[in-house]
Amino acid sequence: MIAVVSTMGMTAVLGGCGATGSSDVTLRLVAADYGDSAANSSQKYWDKLARAYEAQHSGVKIDVSVYSWNDVDRKVKAMVAADKAPDLAQIGSYADYAAAGKLYEAGDLLSIPVQADFPSQLAEAGQWNHAQYGIPFAASTRVLFYNKTLFSEAGITTPPTTWTELAADAEALKANGVKYPYALPLGPEEAQAETMQWLLSGGSGYTDDTGTYTINSAQNIDTLTWLKDELVGKGLTGPTAPGKLNRATAFAAFADGQVGMINGHPTLIKQAEKKGVKFGTVAMPARAGQSTSTASMGVADWMAAFKQNGHADQVGDFLNYVYSEKNVLSFSREYGLLPVTTSASQAMTDSTQPQDKQLRPFLEQLPTSQLYPAGKTSWAAISADIKKQIGTAVTSTGNPTTVLTRLQAEASLADSRTSTG
């Protein structure tokens, strides 16, 4: 990426310190919070980075507002609707803003070395209408975490590789008094992620290879029916209804030793280690006959730059600084996430630091993982609908076919109204 120059504390070669001009400019950045407590809030990360940047650019101030993932996308949407768009928003989607003509293209802002440093998979996922508007900011993949102590106490000697084994292990954990044999967070915080991981492990997903929504495919209906009947219906997902259980709560329960198994991303490593939990990780189990290698889910969060305030030069210069190898590694290490640049990923792969070694299994999955259909302008709305509705599909009175068919109809209608790129 910008490698040597940026690690020396300078801005990117093509970004140029002079690009900011002499007049004072304040850039407003809205970002999501990746911390799990006030002590490691993303506000602290951004404030430190902003002050370091301002020290080198006397004419630019960076005003940062950080919100939880429950609120950040809604906050930005409201700002844009009120014609008060921030200069930068680090959020979960970008395509609807790109389609509305509100965003700068990445190539209009970033230096060539920075733009070239994004892996092709992530750069392509950031495209709308064949141009990159979504700038990847953080990435992760998912694996199954299991509590080694609880497994041993329940007489389980090996982690599951199939759904059948997972259900049998959950039964054994429940019989041994484990509160959450398998934690299934389908609450509004991140239900779209837990759902997608299960749909992939069942042989389908939200879209097919052409990008067409397949939410109510036969495989997806079978997947949610299995979850309802074999896990939720048998009391193997704990005392909290999946639709009411958020990811953060489920992760905290795992770190407290109350969860036998959970689908998790790298940030769970730090949480579990802080509490002394002995855990292992394996690929997410798949339906019998389905390869786990095709069931890996990747997640990318995005940086979007809004045109409204017209600060292209300053925004581009700041982003070149943000995406230096040093800063990408710093963020990734702070929050246990995967770097979104090739140079930082290689540095992490080559590193001998224990925390970097722990992330290698996740890094290895990223190139072949499947991402959300973020390039579809309809995805932000459909993702929000999934968060609201999917938990009802696995309740005792829920109907997976009905819920998935309703979501499919909403997705198809949304797609018919917009250009998907």
Side-chain angles (χ1 to χ4, degrees):
M1 179 175 168
I2 37 188
V4 176
V5 176
S6 288
T7 56
M8 293 171 62
M10 300 169 62
T11 52
V13 174
L14 298 185
C17 295
T20 60
S22 58
S23 59
D24 288 344
V25 169
T26 296
L27 299 181
R28 292 191 300 127
L29 165 65
V30 176
D33 195 354
Y34 291 86
D36 56 19
S37 68
N40 71 339
S41 167
S42 292
Q43 187 75 51
K44 291 188 174 182
Y45 170 83
W46 281 112
D47 285 347
K48 180 179 179 181
L49 185 143
R51 300 299 84 79
Y53 180 80
E54 290 169 354
Q56 301 175 34
H57 301 78
S58 59
V60 180
K61 298 295 182 184
I62 311 296
D63 179 23
V64 183
S65 299
V66 172
Y67 298 99
S68 76
W69 274 110
N70 289 330
D71 301 322
V72 66
D73 289 295
R74 175 175 54 82
K75 291 279 189 181
V76 172
K77 184 176 181 180
M79 292 175 188
V80 174
D83 289 326
K84 296 180 179 179
D87 296 284
L88 289 162
Q90 188 267 297
I91 47 180
S93 61
Y94 65 86
D96 47 347
Y97 298 125
K102 295 183 180 298
L103 301 182
Y104 289 110
E105 288 187 34
D108 293 335
L109 302 172
L110 301 175
S111 70
I112 293 174
V114 170
Q115 195 171 10
D117 204 29
F118 297 118
S120 59
Q121 178 211 27
L122 294 179
E124 290 170 6
Q127 292 182 359
W128 176 82
N129 203 23
H130 309 297
Q132 185 181 352
Y133 293 89
I135 306 171
F137 181 74
S140 67
T141 56
R142 306 298 166 100
V143 298
L144 184 75
F145 284 71
Y146 64 97
N147 185 309
K148 290 184 174 181
T149 302
L150 297 181
F151 264 49
S152 177
E153 292 172 351
I156 307 170
T157 58
T158 57
T161 59
T162 66
W163 288 359
T164 300
E165 292 175 357
L166 185 148
D169 290 346
E171 287 276 14
L173 291 164
K174 180 185 178 183
N176 208 47
V178 175
K179 187 174 182 179
Y180 294 92
Y182 177 86
L184 183 66
L186 295 180
E189 182 184 9
E190 206 189 31
Q192 83 285 2
E194 181 73 15
T195 301
M196 182 173 170
Q197 180 61 82
W198 278 99
L199 299 185
L200 290 173
S201 66
S204 188
Y206 289 134
T207 60
D208 61 17
D209 292 340
T210 68
T212 302
Y213 281 115
T214 55
I215 297 174
N216 67 336
S217 68
Q219 297 102 311
N220 288 346
I221 291 172
D222 286 348
T223 293
L224 287 195
T225 300
W226 187 89
L227 281 174
K228 176 187 175 182
D229 295 344
E230 301 302 324
L231 289 187
V232 182
K234 293 183 178 180
L236 303 179
T237 54
T240 305
K244 302 291 185 181
L245 182 65
N246 278 328
R247 180 197 65 188
T249 302
F251 276 19
F254 185 86
D256 286 337
Q258 300 175 338
V259 175
M261 296 175 283
I262 188 171
N263 171 34
H265 54 63
T267 59
L268 185 53
I269 293 174
K270 280 191 174 182
Q271 282 184 257
E273 287 183 338
K274 284 181 182 178
K275 295 292 187 73
V277 173
K278 295 181 179 179
F279 63 89
T281 61
V282 292
M284 182 66 182
R287 187 197 304 273
Q290 176 77 21
S291 171
T292 57
S293 64
T294 62
S296 173
M297 186 188 80
V299 175
D301 301 325
W302 305 98
M303 183 72 78
F306 287 88
K307 292 180 178 179
Q308 181 176 329
N309 300 316
H311 297 147
D313 288 345
Q314 293 86 355
V315 168
D317 196 74
F318 178 61
L319 286 177
N320 286 330
Y321 181 81
V322 168
Y323 284 97
S324 70
E325 181 181 314
K326 174 185 175 181
N327 288 329
V328 171
L329 280 172
S330 175
F331 178 84
S332 300
R333 286 167 173 161
E334 175 65 30
Y335 298 105
L337 293 165
L338 305 182
V340 293
T341 63
T342 300
S343 58
S345 293
Q346 188 60 54
M348 184 172 281
T349 299
D350 295 341
S351 170
T352 58
Q353 293 186 28
Q355 67 184 98
D356 291 342
K357 290 182 178 180
Q358 289 179 323
L359 290 175
R360 287 178 189 169
F362 299 90
L363 274 171
E364 290 169 358
Q365 283 193 124
L366 188 59
T368 58
S369 64
Q370 298 189 47
L371 303 173
Y372 296 135
K376 297 171 77 65
T377 55
S378 56
W379 173 242
I382 299 309
S383 176
D385 287 344
I386 291 169
K387 291 179 181 181
K388 293 176 183 177
Q389 300 182 43
I390 204 69
T392 65
V394 298
T395 63
S396 59
T397 58
N399 187 315
T401 300
T402 299
V403 173
L404 292 178
T405 299
R406 182 167 61 241
L407 288 167
Q408 175 67 31
E410 293 169 1
S412 297
L413 179 61
D415 250 11
S416 70
R417 291 175 173 172
T418 60
S419 171
T420 60

